[in-house]
Structure formats: C-alpha cells, structure tokens
Amino acid sequence: MIKAREIVKNFGDFCALDGFDITVPKGSIYGLVGPNGAGKTTIIKHLTGVIRQDEGTVRIDGEDVWENESLKQRVLCINDDWYFYPSFTVKQMARFYEDIYKNFNRERYQKLGEVLKIEENRQIRRLSKGMKKQVAFRLVLSAMPDVLILDEPLDGLDPVMRKQIMNIIISDVAERGMTVLVSSHNLRELEDICDYVGIIHNGKMIVEKPLDDLKGNILKVQMVFGDGFPDALKDEIDILHFSSIGSVNTLIVKGDASLIENAIRMYNPVVLDKVNLTLEEVFIYELGGLGYDFSHIIV
C-alpha cells in the first residue's frame, strides 16, 4: 500500500504540494489525474525517493520511502523521460538492471522479449521514443517490482503495443498482487484499467474514490418538459452545468442518483434519460466546480 499524509513541498516561494494525501490500496491500479502544474510529478518524485517532503509522511508498505535502499529494490518507476546510459545497448542495460535489482528474473526478461521485440545489440539512444518505452517496460517488469509507478508511460507507443503492455501489467496485478500508480493525460486509457482514481488540483487531493463510485457521483441527465424547464428545480439539485437545445435540456448534476431522479420526476418530465459519464467528463466537471471555465464544451 502507498500512503502519504499531509505532504507539503515548497520550491522557494512556490508551494507544489499543500497538505497532499494519497492512499493506493495494495494490488490495485490507481489513476492520478490533474491539470498541468497540479503536482502529479512532484508527488511521484516523493514516492520514488527522489526528493524529500518538507512536512508529512510518505510510506510504502508501512516503510518510510526516503533513503530506504531495500524499499527501492521493490518500487520501480517509468516516466516520460526514462533514463539510460547513452552508450549502452539493450543487452548491456539488461545486465545493469540484473546487477542492481536482486529480483531480476532473466527467464521473464527473455519471455517479454517475445512480445517487446527490440534487437538487443542496438544502442538505446538510437531507438525511437516508442521503442525506448518498450525497452523500459521490459527491463522494469523483469525486475519484478511490488510497486510500479508510471508517469505518462505510454507516450510514443502505438495502440497495439499500448494494449499489450497494459495487459501484461494487469496480469501482474492479478497474479502477483503488484500495486500500480499511473499518472496520465489519457483519461480514456485510465478508465479502461483503473480501480481507483485521485484528482489533484493546486497541490491538494480534491477527490479520491473507486472509479465506479467517482463516476456514480456525477450524472448527465437529459429531459424534456411539456411547459418548459421548471426554474424551481435548479434550487433542488446541485447542477454543475446546464444547456438547452430546442426542448431538450441537458444537466450535469452531482449527488445521489436516486434522489436526483426523484426530484426531477416531481415536475413530470415527458422524457427523462440518464447518460453514463466518462472519466474525462467527471474530471472536467469536478474541476469546473473549482472555478475552471469549461463553458465552451458541448455536452
């Protein structure tokens, strides 16, 4: 389990994390989402022990992360700018990982090579971005991590390779109980794989829930009334967004679905239809409630 509490991190006068909390259950896939500059990469650097918090605690499986060499054997990270020695070939980098990580599994490395087919004698620096990412996943997954942290991990990969890599990760979670934290701008991709989602804004966690609960808390409802939309309804439910095209009124509302539906039915709608929201829409309207202007978005 990943558990950080009341994390504060300042860079000069800039507060990157301001009382930040996060809980990632063991054996889950957790999606961390937020706008640019929200603090996603900063918290990842804390979880991997790259930087130390000014205040608060950062623990994985009950152990403090900072300067914990044995823990770092089990916690591995792939980010958008994965580091490698410029002169190394794929084979040389594999030997380096095998020397560093005690649980490196050579048999698994060979097996992953059947899926991630990169010539081992090629210098990594001469590979495309997508091919470098394949090498990174092959090496890191061969080290058999208990915790895998991914920061924009799939950029540069084609759709087929993305699917293959995520299937491997999902299999590791199911078979080995690996814990995965993924930070990505591709919310549709996260929606396909995540059990839990946390939304970060201005260095704070604003909502953290199982994905199904998060999506169930915000609804898109379309309705038609014989005498036009009843203005009194606006005072009875928490409307995040309202639009009207012809006689069809579309509302994004927050709260208990059954209570919202009952409130609407009191005004005898001719048509009432609930539409499932995507994670992308949930993200938009959660942030919209914090002052972001998404009025240009068509719903």
Side-chain angles (χ1 to χ4, degrees):
M1 172 185 279
I2 297 172
K3 194 170 186 177
R5 289 290 177 268
E6 294 294 322
I7 302 303
V8 173
K9 185 62 182 180
N10 296 298
F11 297 100
D13 294 332
F14 175 68
C15 182
L17 296 174
D18 184 14
F20 182 83
D21 293 340
I22 187 170
T23 301
V24 182
K26 186 176 177 61
S28 69
I29 302 179
Y30 183 110
L32 181 64
V33 300
N36 290 335
K40 299 187 297 297
T41 298
T42 303
I43 190 60
I44 285 174
K45 288 180 177 178
H46 282 81
L47 296 176
T48 52
V50 175
I51 58 178
R52 187 178 188 180
Q53 67 274 19
D54 298 330
E55 298 177 23
T57 57
V58 182
R59 296 192 177 108
I60 295 178
D61 293 339
E63 299 183 40
D64 288 328
V65 172
W66 182 250
E67 294 189 340
N68 190 332
E69 185 176 341
S70 63
L71 185 64
K72 290 179 182 180
Q73 283 281 324
R74 303 186 289 110
V75 179
L76 277 78
C77 178
I78 299 174
N79 56 30
D80 192 38
D81 189 22
W82 175 71
Y83 180 79
F84 56 90
Y85 286 105
S87 63
F88 273 28
T89 63
V90 175
K91 182 183 290 186
Q92 288 171 323
M93 202 66 189
R95 287 174 181 164
F96 176 78
Y97 265 65
E98 193 169 20
D99 289 341
I100 294 294
Y101 294 104
K102 299 174 183 177
N103 293 327
F104 191 91
N105 188 316
R106 176 57 68 166
E107 182 180 352
R108 185 168 207 225
Y109 175 77
Q110 298 299 344
K111 207 167 183 60
L112 287 173
E114 297 172 9
V115 178
L116 310 174
K117 299 178 181 179
I118 307 296
E119 169 56 48
E120 289 203 279
N121 289 319
R122 292 187 65 180
Q123 281 187 316
I124 299 174
R125 65 186 176 90
R126 298 188 183 279
L127 301 176
S128 68
K129 182 175 182 179
M131 294 170 78
K132 288 175 183 175
K133 282 291 178 72
Q134 290 183 53
V135 173
F137 274 104
R138 185 179 179 186
L139 293 172
V140 167
L141 291 173
S142 295
M144 309 300 283
D146 293 332
V147 175
L148 179 61
I149 297 175
L150 306 172
D151 190 6
E152 299 296 340
L154 302 179
D155 281 3
L157 296 173
D158 63 66
V160 173
M161 188 54 65
R162 284 171 180 245
K163 187 68 175 176
Q164 287 179 316
I165 287 175
M166 292 318 301
N167 283 342
I168 294 169
I169 290 172
I170 291 169
S171 176
D172 270 11
V173 171
E175 295 176 10
R176 300 199 297 109
M178 183 172 70
T179 302
V180 182
L181 184 145
V182 188
S183 171
S184 175
H185 287 99
N186 191 330
L187 300 189
R188 292 181 183 178
E189 206 160 56
L190 291 181
E191 189 169 14
D192 292 337
I193 62 170
C194 288
D195 308 308
Y196 294 82
V197 172
I199 299 178
I200 180 175
H201 173 63
N202 285 345
K204 293 179 178 289
M205 182 69 77
I206 62 169
V207 60
E208 182 180 56
K209 291 183 178 180
L211 178 59
D212 290 342
D213 290 354
L214 181 65
K215 291 171 67 176
N217 192 47
I218 301 180
L219 307 173
K220 179 191 288 186
V221 189
Q222 294 180 320
M223 64 202 77
V224 176
F225 294 93
D227 297 323
F229 186 84
D231 288 336
L233 181 58
K234 294 180 180 179
D235 297 326
E236 298 180 25
I237 56 179
D238 186 4
I239 300 175
L240 300 179
H241 183 85
F242 176 91
S243 64
S244 182
I245 301 177
S247 62
V248 179
N249 305 284
T250 300
L251 277 66
I252 306 296
V253 290
K254 188 172 184 177
D256 182 271
S258 60
L259 294 178
I260 290 168
E261 185 174 351
N262 290 339
I264 295 170
R265 290 196 182 280
M266 291 294 290
Y267 293 89
N268 301 313
V270 178
V271 176
L272 176 59
D273 186 27
K274 292 183 292 184
V275 182
N276 291 330
L277 285 173
T278 64
L279 176 59
E280 189 171 36
E281 288 174 311
V282 171
F283 173 74
I284 286 170
Y285 292 109
E286 283 285 358
L287 289 184
L290 294 174
Y292 271 68
D293 180 15
F294 294 110
S295 58
H296 62 284
I297 294 174
I298 297 174
V299 296

